[in-house]
Every structure is written in C-alpha cells, then in structure tokens.
Amino acid sequence: MKATRRRVAILGAAATSVVAGVALLPNWSAGAAVVDDPTVDARTKATFQRLADAVFTDRTDALVTGAQGDRSKPLTNGFSGDVKLSSGTARTEDAALSTLGERKDKLAKAGEKYSKATTTVTLNATRVTGRTAKAAVTETTTLTYAQTRGNAPKSTGFQARHELTFKADRQGNWQLTTIRDTDQGGLAVNTLSKPTPTVKVTTADDTMPNAKRAATTWNPPAVPKTGTTYDYKAMAAYAEKYVYSYNKDYPDFNNHTAGGDCTNFVSQSLKAGGWKHVPGYVYDYTKWFGNADIQSDSFVGVNEWSWFAQNSKRTTPLANVYQLEVGDVLQMDFDRDGSKDHTMIVTAKSNGMPYLTYHSNNTLRKSLSSIIMQNPNSYYYAYRT
C-alpha cells in the first residue's frame, strides 16, 4: 500500500498511548503466551505494515519536498494512525527527516533533484514473544529524477529490508521502538550515512594485489573505453533485469551469513557481457567461476573479486570515480579498515554522471554523486572492465 505524506504526526501533551480504533490481539494481557506467525491476527499485522509504510514514506518524501512539520513544536511522540512510535524512536525519526531534508538541498546544489516518489512496504513475517513483536518488512521505493536531459535515467529505486521491534504495554497498546536495516552492503538513498570511523586499520594482506584508491572530485578528464571485446550493454541489461529479483541459475546470498549478494550479482553481470570462467580451486583468487552449484571466492567475495580482477588484467584502475563508464565496477571500503565492503556496476552514464546498480540492498540506477554524498568518509576503488 501507499502511505499518505507525513503520517507521522505531532501529538500534544495530552496524547495517550492508546491505539486508536484498532483491536490488537483481543486477549492480550500481561504474561500472555508467545504467539508465533501465522497465528498473529491479520489486523495486527496490517497495523505494523501501515506504520512501517508511513515511516519509510516520510523518509523518502523528505528527499523530494524536504522535512515536514513544525520543528518549533515538541518532537514527534506519536503516530496519527493505528499504532504509535515510542518517544525515542520518534525523536530519532524526526532527526532523520531533518538530515534527509538537508541532503535534498545538497543534492539540488549538485544538480540532482527528485520530482516525485512512491514507497510501498510489504510485511514478510511477524513473530510475537510476550509483549515484544518483531516484524520483517521489505520497502520498495522509486524516485523520479527531475529535469533529466538526453539519455539520463528517468528514475532510481531500491528494495530494502528492515526489522521493526514493537513493544506492548499491559493494556495491549503497541509502540514501535526500534528500526534495524538488515541488508548487507550499500545504503538505501533514504537512510543516513554510516558514522565516521574513529580508527584506521590496514588489514590487507601484502601478498594480494592492492587496488588503488580513486579520487571523488567532480569532472575529471574523461577516459573512454577502447580495444575491448566485452558487451557492456549486455552487462547493464542483465543487472537492471535482475536488480529486484534473483536469477535461479545462481545462489542468492542476500542476508547470508557469508555476506551480501553484491559481488555475486556483479560477477553475473560481467559474465553476461563476456567474462569467461577460469576454473580451478574455489579458494584460489586467480580463478573465477560461478553457477548454481559452485562459486569461486572471487565470484562472490568483495576483496577476492578485486584480487582476481587485478591479477587477471581484466580490469585496470581508474584515477577518479567519475571516469567510470557503463560496465565498469565500483567498490567501497565503508570504514576505511583496508578491507572492501561493497561492489556495484555502472548501468548508465549521462552528462558525466555514472549511475550504479547493485544488490544488498537492491538498487537501480543510483547516481554516483548521491552515493558519495551519503558515504563521504568511505574509500572508493574504480575498475575499468
């Protein structure tokens, strides 16, 4: 469903914790037994889903119209629908909306504006234990770029997974207390930046090929692609076809204990454009192969892919991230600890701006400027494929 704009409302001091107009677990009382899915009633599930929809819609809308609400009034301490935010979560969301509104203004100065947005939330699972409920949801958001020129993408979008924690008081009134992002890899455009690392540690093994960091300054000298037989359009087409789904010919590593699906997804895209298997031992970073049954570490691992790409000479480093072209690969070290964390592929470029597509979370045609603005403290590595 689509939530209406600014459904997270400011309540006065007289507001109570009663959930208006909703019957939540009619027999709920202190010491109630654990209720596991699917026995949680449908109305309660719908309540959780509606609040999640409203929260994430508000975040996205802040990137289009700026943060809403009167900041001179008390901070948000409730929800105008069927279930409330706790006071702490409301303060956190209020601050997040303010930050996202500031990001909107910074993006506009860099030439990127959004004209509209849609957000829907799907409830995947609910688990209730005592007076605590956990809800797993998937957010799907599309933002339309304003004033696009030439062959620039018309929109960007993503799917992100979250876990919401709700607490009920002894009267059975629910409050949302925690929102946790469960994807591994990149950030959704309507989430906040990762904190600046306080400790710099170099952990890279000196025996492995060490990729060169790329600058992030705007408008560097162009580096056109020459002398290659790879099909870059096929790489981009594959990535955009499977950005919100998973090719059954390969395993899905999203939310996997070994890490996210980002490098596995990029490797599939490169293979679709002509990269050939190099069979061998799965742990040997000089080998590269992947199918439904077996994958080399270099096919699915962020650092291992970098080692293979450099050792095999299938890639060359780019001095600046804005030199990336369609089919090129960008990696990030979020916390600057010497170990790379995320892999993305360029699926469009217009007016000097690369647009990245990736898994974990699943994101389509996100502008490079938006990525850098959201991750200003990360290290970047750009690969010409």
Side-chain angles (χ1 to χ4, degrees):
M1 64 172 288
K2 175 69 171 70
T4 57
R5 188 181 306 277
R6 288 303 304 162
R7 291 184 59 190
V8 179
I10 296 175
L11 300 184
T16 70
S17 62
V18 175
V19 178
V22 176
L24 297 182
L25 295 177
N27 298 321
W28 192 270
S29 62
V34 174
V35 181
D36 293 319
D37 231 29
T39 57
V40 181
D41 67 52
R43 194 169 185 182
T44 300
K45 292 180 181 180
T47 298
F48 293 162
Q49 187 270 341
R50 285 197 298 271
L51 178 58
D53 198 318
V55 167
F56 296 121
T57 293
D58 278 356
R59 289 186 185 182
T60 305
D61 286 345
L63 291 170
V64 180
T65 60
Q68 305 290 311
D70 184 353
R71 290 301 189 272
S72 67
K73 295 181 180 179
L75 289 171
T76 307
N77 66 350
F79 174 59
S80 60
D82 301 322
V83 68
K84 300 178 182 300
L85 277 68
S86 69
S87 58
T89 301
R91 287 192 294 271
T92 299
E93 285 302 304
D94 201 60
L97 293 178
S98 180
T99 300
L100 290 168
E102 293 171 0
R103 183 184 299 164
K104 164 192 168 291
D105 296 337
K106 291 179 180 178
L107 282 169
K109 290 180 180 179
E112 181 170 321
K113 295 182 180 180
Y114 306 117
S115 62
K116 62 180 180 179
T118 59
T119 292
T120 58
V121 172
T122 302
L123 182 69
N124 302 321
T126 305
R127 182 180 72 254
V128 177
T129 306
R131 287 194 289 272
T132 299
K134 300 279 189 179
V137 303
T138 298
E139 169 196 4
T140 302
T141 287
T142 300
L143 289 139
T144 301
Y145 289 118
Q147 301 174 342
T148 56
R149 295 181 296 164
N151 63 343
K154 304 303 181 185
S155 63
T156 181
F158 64 87
Q159 286 182 331
R161 295 167 181 83
H162 312 277
E163 182 185 86
L164 281 60
T165 301
F166 299 86
K167 300 285 187 180
D169 62 21
R170 291 180 180 274
Q171 287 72 47
N173 304 313
W174 291 105
Q175 289 192 341
L176 173 63
T177 59
T178 306
I179 301 172
R180 184 174 70 88
D181 300 330
T182 58
D183 287 313
Q184 302 179 44
L187 291 170
V189 68
N190 65 350
T191 56
L192 304 185
S193 303
K194 294 181 182 295
T196 303
T198 57
V199 179
K200 298 180 183 179
V201 180
T202 301
T203 60
D205 189 332
D206 290 339
T207 64
M208 304 301 184
N210 189 22
K212 296 180 180 179
R213 283 172 47 199
T216 58
T217 52
W218 169 247
N219 201 25
V223 183
K225 287 191 170 184
T226 59
T228 180
T229 59
Y230 296 134
D231 187 342
Y232 299 112
K233 289 183 178 180
M235 293 177 183
Y238 181 95
E240 295 197 352
K241 177 180 179 180
Y242 290 105
V243 62
Y244 295 142
S245 61
Y246 293 81
N247 188 340
K248 301 302 182 183
D249 292 335
Y250 300 93
D252 168 10
F253 290 106
N254 192 41
N255 294 325
H256 193 272
T257 56
D261 196 65
C262 61
T263 307
N264 180 42
F265 175 66
V266 168
S267 287
Q268 294 170 37
S269 302
L270 295 171
K271 184 178 173 183
W275 275 37
K276 302 299 183 184
H277 280 174
V278 182
Y281 189 49
V282 294
Y283 299 117
D284 184 349
Y285 73 81
T286 66
K287 311 302 179 185
W288 184 85
F289 53 91
N291 54 37
D293 301 317
I294 189 170
Q295 310 82 37
S296 65
D297 284 0
S298 59
F299 199 89
V300 300
V302 182
N303 290 287
E304 292 85 350
W305 181 90
S306 175
W307 298 336
F308 169 79
Q310 296 171 87
N311 183 78
S312 65
K313 308 300 181 184
R314 290 190 182 182
T315 67
T316 55
L318 291 168
N320 189 292
V321 292
Y322 286 101
Q323 294 170 330
L324 290 161
E325 299 287 343
V326 172
D328 289 342
V329 173
L330 179 67
Q331 291 190 317
M332 296 172 63
D333 176 1
F334 290 130
D335 52 9
R336 303 187 301 196
D337 68 349
S339 178
K340 300 171 189 66
D341 303 299
H342 189 40
T343 309
M344 301 165 281
I345 189 167
V346 179
T347 59
K349 187 170 185 179
S350 179
N351 303 309
M353 181 64 66
Y355 294 84
L356 285 299
T357 296
Y358 52 89
H359 270 182
S360 305
N361 53 52
N362 303 337
T363 297
L364 174 67
R365 296 190 296 263
K366 185 173 181 178
S367 73
L368 180 56
S369 62
S370 178
I371 291 171
I372 293 172
M373 189 171 296
Q374 198 170 5
N375 302 274
N377 302 304
S378 298
Y379 287 159
Y380 293 83
Y381 303 84
Y383 304 82
R384 167 59 43 82
T385 60

